[in-house]
Each structure stands twice: as structure tokens, then as C-alpha cells.
Amino acid sequence: MPRITMTIDGEEVGGEVDNRTTILDALRERFGVTSPKKGCDHGQCGACTVLLDGRRHLTCLSLAVAHDGAVITTASGLAEGDELHPMQQSFVDHDGLQCGYCTPGQVCSAIGMLAEVAEGHPSHVSADLDGDVDLTDDEIRERMSGNLCRCGAYVNIVTAIREASR
Amino acid sequence: MRPFDYERPGTLDEAVSLVAFDPDASYIAGGSNLVDHLKLGVATPTRLVDVRGLPLADIEETADGLRIGANVRNSDLAAHPAVRSQYAVLSRALLSGASAQIRHQATAAGNLLQRTRCVYFADATTPCNKREPGSGCSAIGGYDRYNAVLGTSESCVATHPSDMAVALAVLDASVEVLGADGVRTIPLADLHRLPGDSPEHDTSLVHGELITAVTVPALPDGAVSTYYKARDRASYAFALVSVAAVVAGDEVRVAWGGVAHQPWRATRLEAALHGGPLDEDPIRAACADELADAVTSEGNSYKLAMITGATAMVLTGLAGGPR
Ligand SMILES: Cc1cc2nc3c(=O)[nH]c(=O)nc-3n(C[C@H](O)[C@H](O)[C@H](O)COP(=O)(O)OP(=O)(O)OC[C@H]3O[C@@H](n4cnc5c(N)ncnc54)[C@H](O)[C@@H]3O)c2cc1C
Ligand code: SF4
Ligand code: FES
Ligand code: FES
């Protein structure tokens, strides 16, 4: 079995993985990092979203062996000591969760999304492809559409992200 | 998932020989389609050859247009300044596909070669000629809402799922390919096949051929273009039907998604509308002509009206709106 190393939430970890292991299974089953959740396991729900080499990325459709050396930040690596990341704090302040199952993926996705907005990337609902991005609620909804919430906490998730983006 | 060997070749030639001479080998790029199929038992390669490390990730503006490396990610391509300003149809098609996470993972070549979303193809317990030649087609007479209406055969009625491919079809793009016998260029129109009696072959590529780049010729001065996608929910769903269109002076170019086994370039419609007014009535008449050979079943007959309405909306919008 191939040996891989990854930097996960600031810590370098390593181990042997079967070629078939996804990053999600490696994180959860091998490296003990359980904040990325397994929802659908087929790329459809976003629960397994992490920041991979700086971008939001699904871990259920990625092979661990193909990402040897990757730098991964999961929701549990976002806080500075006892201080929550502003996005996490905003989710708490605005009740952006109910059961919390989708929340780690939502939070990672929201942070990645704001970085894309800062770079001026348009979205499907942007009227003008060349213009500046005005982060309206419609833009937030579209840009977060890869993260599904079974509890339906969407209204508060949009509020939490809007407030955190200010 | 079946066990497989995993290789990360250092050069293009090495990659090609690893796959070309092994019938059970497959390339992998972002993995967002292939890993799903490994899990479902739809794909059973015994060797994966990872091309992500190969130097195929540049977008170059050339004298003739754009050259997009096979590994360019869908998100980077959609956001590229030249694509946004000159090829709106391509940017919009990409932005309408999948989710932001998946667009970061998806590559240009992988997107073109993603396989059909036919529900029976993905369900290894059902007969499917594309997955298992000769086993039959469960979609004919089965759940038919997503089935193709043009270019179908008795063997397969699946649609091609890529949005980007529909935009590239209307842009007259080509793919550059490296095989064991060298390099060749394939016009996008010839890349994806109609099913005929061998739906197991999605494309005209020979086993082992590696897509290295997509080339897109520049559009004529003053051309305007866009992409419209109709789907079951506002975002993050595949197209029921989609329309890619370019209007440049007298020239009208249209390609349809969600209706066929390949991006459907509506050449009859284009000829009928050339130089004429882009008004509702002639557009609808041209759509009827283009759809004259359509074959529908109860569940998918809505696609004819939907593609007609979408085409009229897109073309009248391009004709009237800012060019
Ligand atoms: C939930 C979900 C929703 C989606 N929605 C949409 C949508 O709305 N619209 C849309 O267009 N797509 C959609 N997709 C599909 C997604 O865009 C594709 O999975 C992606 O583009 C595939 O790219 P990849 O690099 O991950 O390919 P991979 O999975 O790595 O490969 C796909 C195929 O391409 C082959 N391949 C890869 N690179 C090369 C190369 N250079 N040369 C030769 N062969 C190669 C592989 O062997 C494999 O057969 C969706 C996917 C998911 C999971
Ligand atoms: S339509 Fe094609 S892909 Fe779908 S079940 Fe029939 S043969 Fe298979
Ligand atoms: S578990 Fe990865 S997208 Fe659902
Ligand atoms: S809070 Fe329960 S799934 Fe989103």
C-alpha cells in the first residue's frame, strides 16, 4: 500500500492507504478527523467539503493517493485556540444550523466562497460577467448551492454568511 | 470498488503508453466522475493513470483564439478574463454546471469525457447497452423523462451531460489529442458520437488517446453569445435542455444540450435563420424544422416545447440586447 502524507489542520500526518481510499475516508477513518461529514458519498450534498490547497473541495470523490502532500483545512482546524473563526461565530450567532450535520461543510464552503468573491469570480446569477461582485442574497444562495441542508436552515445560513462577509 | 494500480507518469508519452497498451487502464484527472463510477461498479479499471501532475493546466491566448490545457479546472476557465469578456457562452455554461466545489475539481478534458447521467447506466443491477454491450436498454420503456429526443437508436437513448461541451460546440472548438501513433486534432463536432448500435463508445477517441488541449477560435468582431439551461431546480442540477448561441451579424449559431447523445449543433435551424430577422415566429419555425426527426416518448415529449421556447428566448434576447 502506498504511503501518503498530508497537512491536516496544520498538523502533518502520514500513513499507508489503499489506492481505493477517498480523502474523506482517510480523514475520518485513518487520521481521526471527523468534522468533514459523509452525507451522500457521491458528490451531491457538500457535507464532505474541506479547503484543499486553499480551495473548497469535495473529499468523497477524491482519492487520497492522488492528493499526497495536500494541505487540508477542515472545519475543526478553523478556530484559533478557543476563538472561533468569524464564519463559525456567525453561524452560531445567527442560528445557521439545526442538527449541525451539514455545518462543517457549509462553513468551509462559505469561507472558500468569500475568497472566490474577493478574486472577482462571477457566478451563474451574476448579470455582468465582467463587473464587480455584489454579494447579494441571490449570489450567496447560488454560490452555496453545492451544500445541501436536510434541516432546511438555509435562511439563517444566508444571514450568517452575509454578516460574516461584512 | 475493485482494486487497481495507481500510477503518476512524469511525461505525456509515458502516460499514453501506460494506457494505450493496457485495455483495462484508464486516465484519471479530477476524479469527480470516475471515482463515482468506481464506487458504483460502473467503471472497473485495473490501473489508474493520474494525469493531474502533467503540464496541461495553462490557458493561452493565441493569435487565433484560445488554447485551454486539458487539466485547466472548470472554475479557473469560467473566471478567466478572456473567457468572461469574449466567450460569454463558455463562461456561462461552466458556471451553470455542478457546484463551486466540483468546478474546482473538474478539468476541461474530464468534463468533455464525463459519462451520461442516465439513471440505468449508473445502476449496475439493470441492463444497459452502454455499460454492458448487448444487455439491453432499460431507459426505453422505462423512466424516460431525461431521455434524448434526437439522434437516438434502438440501442440507447441517453443524453450527453456536459454543459461546457454544448458551449464548445457552438464555438467550433477542437480537441488536441496525443495517442500511441502521435498527435491529431478532432473538431468537437466529431468528438462525441451518436449511439447507433455501439453506445458503449461515447466518443471517437481510440483507447489510450489523451486529450491535451481544447482550442477555441476567436469569435467575429461584435459577436454576442450566451448559454441558457433549464433544469428541475434553480441550481446544482443537470440540464433538462440547454441552449448555447452566438449571434454575429448575419450569422446565427445554436447548439442544444439535453436532447441528444452529443451536443446537438442545430445546423438546419442556423441555415434557416441566417441573415433573417431574429423574431419569435421564424425562430419557432426553424426549431420545428430542426426537430422534425425527433422521436419522443410520454415522459420526454416536453423537451420539444421547452427547447423551442428556450431557443426563442435566447435568440431574441441576443438580437435585442447589448452585443
Ligand atoms: C453532483 C454532480 C453534479 C454535476 N453537475 C454537472 C452539471 O450540471 N454540468 C456538467 O457539465 N457537469 C456536471 N457534473 C460533472 C462534472 O462536471 C464532471 O464530473 C467533471 O467535469 C469531470 O472532470 P474530472 O476532471 O473530475 O474527470 P475525471 O472523473 O477524472 O475523468 C472523467 C473521464 O475523463 C477521462 N479523462 C480525464 N482526463 C483525460 C484526458 N486528459 N485525456 C483523456 N481522458 C481523460 C477519464 O479517464 C474519465 O473517463 C456534475 C458532477 C457531480 C458529481
Ligand atoms: S439509454 Fe443508453 S445509457 Fe441509458 S440504459 Fe439505455 S443503453 Fe444504457
Ligand atoms: S459526502 Fe461528499 S458531497 Fe455528499
Ligand atoms: S443543520 Fe441539519 S443538515 Fe443542515
Side-chain angles (χ1 to χ4, degrees):
Chain A
M1 287 205 289
R3 201 188 146 73
I4 61 162
T5 57
M6 285 181 171
T7 304
I8 300 170
D9 296 333
E11 210 176 303
E12 196 170 300
V13 297
E16 289 187 344
V17 290
D18 187 284
N19 284 341
R20 293 170 288 184
T21 311
T22 60
I23 300 181
L24 180 60
D25 287 340
L27 288 170
R28 294 181 58 85
E29 313 293 337
R30 299 299 306 277
F31 303 137
V33 182
T34 53
S35 61
K37 297 290 182 267
K38 185 180 281 195
C40 64
D41 211 22
H42 289 281
Q44 296 171 358
C45 72
C48 65
T49 303
V50 302
L51 298 168
L52 186 145
D53 297 334
R55 301 183 185 211
R56 49 181 169 158
H57 199 103
L58 302 181
T59 50
C60 67
L61 292 184
S62 307
L63 297 176
V65 67
H67 292 272
D68 186 18
V71 177
I72 290 174
T73 303
T74 75
S76 48
L78 291 169
E80 301 264 357
D82 284 344
E83 183 134 342
L84 291 181
H85 184 284
M87 188 64 75
Q88 291 173 312
Q89 189 61 52
S90 197
F91 267 67
V92 173
D93 293 346
H94 298 281
D95 277 337
L97 59 144
Q98 289 176 36
C99 77
Y101 198 82
C102 70
T103 311
Q106 299 274 7
V107 169
C108 288
S109 188
I111 292 169
M113 183 267 271
L114 291 187
E116 291 153 25
V117 169
E119 285 176 46
H121 288 192
S123 84
H124 173 58
V125 299
S126 306
D128 180 1
L129 289 176
D130 282 321
D132 290 336
V133 182
D134 178 14
L135 196 61
T136 60
D137 285 359
D138 273 354
E139 285 278 2
I140 294 175
R141 283 189 201 104
E142 164 60 25
R143 289 167 191 269
M144 291 297 295
S145 64
N147 292 80
L148 307 186
C149 174
R150 295 295 295 271
C151 298
Y154 295 115
V155 177
N156 294 351
I157 291 172
V158 172
T159 308
I161 295 172
R162 190 196 324 119
E163 295 305 318
S165 73
R166 289 176 199 259
Chain B
M1 218 188 283
R2 299 257 186 91
F4 51 80
D5 294 332
Y6 171 84
E7 318 255 4
R8 202 183 285 127
T11 65
L12 300 180
D13 288 334
E14 194 189 331
V16 171
S17 51
L18 280 168
V19 178
F21 301 112
D22 178 351
D24 295 320
S26 173
Y27 295 116
I28 182 167
S32 60
N33 194 230
L34 186 55
V35 173
D36 200 12
H37 288 158
L38 296 175
K39 289 183 181 184
L40 293 165
V42 166
T44 53
T46 53
R47 172 191 275 174
L48 289 189
V49 176
D50 191 339
V51 298
R52 254 176 74 250
L54 299 175
L56 300 173
D58 290 331
I59 303 173
E60 295 162 54
E61 291 180 65
T62 65
D64 313 316
L66 277 187
R67 187 169 185 283
I68 302 158
N71 287 344
V72 170
R73 306 196 211 190
N74 283 185
S75 53
D76 290 339
L77 185 56
H80 191 274
V83 178
R84 282 153 69 175
S85 63
Q86 293 158 51
Y87 305 93
V89 60
L90 179 55
S91 191
R92 293 227 176 261
L94 287 160
L95 292 171
S96 76
S99 66
Q101 287 97 314
I102 294 171
R103 293 193 293 272
H104 282 319
Q105 183 172 353
T107 63
N111 190 286
L112 287 176
L113 300 182
Q114 66 175 297
R115 307 209 65 194
T116 182
R117 300 306 277 204
C118 174
V119 289
Y120 301 102
F121 174 74
D123 177 354
T125 64
T126 60
C128 165
N129 289 324
K130 186 181 274 300
R131 182 167 27 75
E132 207 177 312
S135 62
C137 171
S138 303
I140 297 174
Y143 182 71
D144 54 5
R145 198 167 122 73
Y146 301 122
N147 291 356
V149 297
L150 288 168
T152 55
S153 74
E154 281 170 15
S155 302
C156 180
V157 291
T159 58
H160 185 72
S162 164
D163 293 295
M164 182 184 77
V166 184
L168 291 177
V170 88
L171 289 170
D172 289 328
S174 299
V175 290
E176 289 177 11
V177 168
L178 176 67
D181 299 330
V183 174
R184 66 179 179 131
T185 299
I186 308 173
L188 199 92
D190 301 333
L191 180 65
H192 299 99
R193 301 176 62 254
L194 291 179
D197 56 11
S198 55
E200 68 277 19
H201 298 299
D202 293 352
T203 69
S204 56
L205 294 179
V206 176
H207 178 76
E209 281 188 316
L210 177 75
I211 295 183
T212 52
V214 179
T215 53
V216 186
L219 282 173
D221 280 347
V224 283
S225 69
T226 197
Y227 188 75
Y228 175 78
K229 177 170 174 180
R231 45 185 158 180
D232 281 329
R233 42 184 204 209
S235 189
Y236 201 20
F238 285 91
L240 297 170
V241 302
S242 68
V243 179
V246 174
V247 174
D250 278 352
E251 192 194 3
V252 179
R253 294 192 219 158
V254 172
W256 288 340
V259 298
H261 203 248
Q262 58 183 196
W264 189 267
R265 185 73 186 261
T267 49
R268 272 196 239 171
L269 172 146
E270 291 176 355
L273 294 177
H274 186 93
L278 290 182
D279 294 334
E280 194 84 19
D281 287 346
I283 296 169
R284 285 182 177 271
C287 287
D289 189 28
E290 186 70 48
L291 290 166
D293 305 329
V295 177
T296 60
S297 54
E298 202 183 323
N300 70 358
S301 57
Y302 73 91
K303 286 193 176 186
L304 305 192
M306 194 181 249
I307 197 82
T308 302
T311 305
M313 187 183 75
V314 164
L315 289 180
T316 52
L318 284 179
R323 301 203 159 196

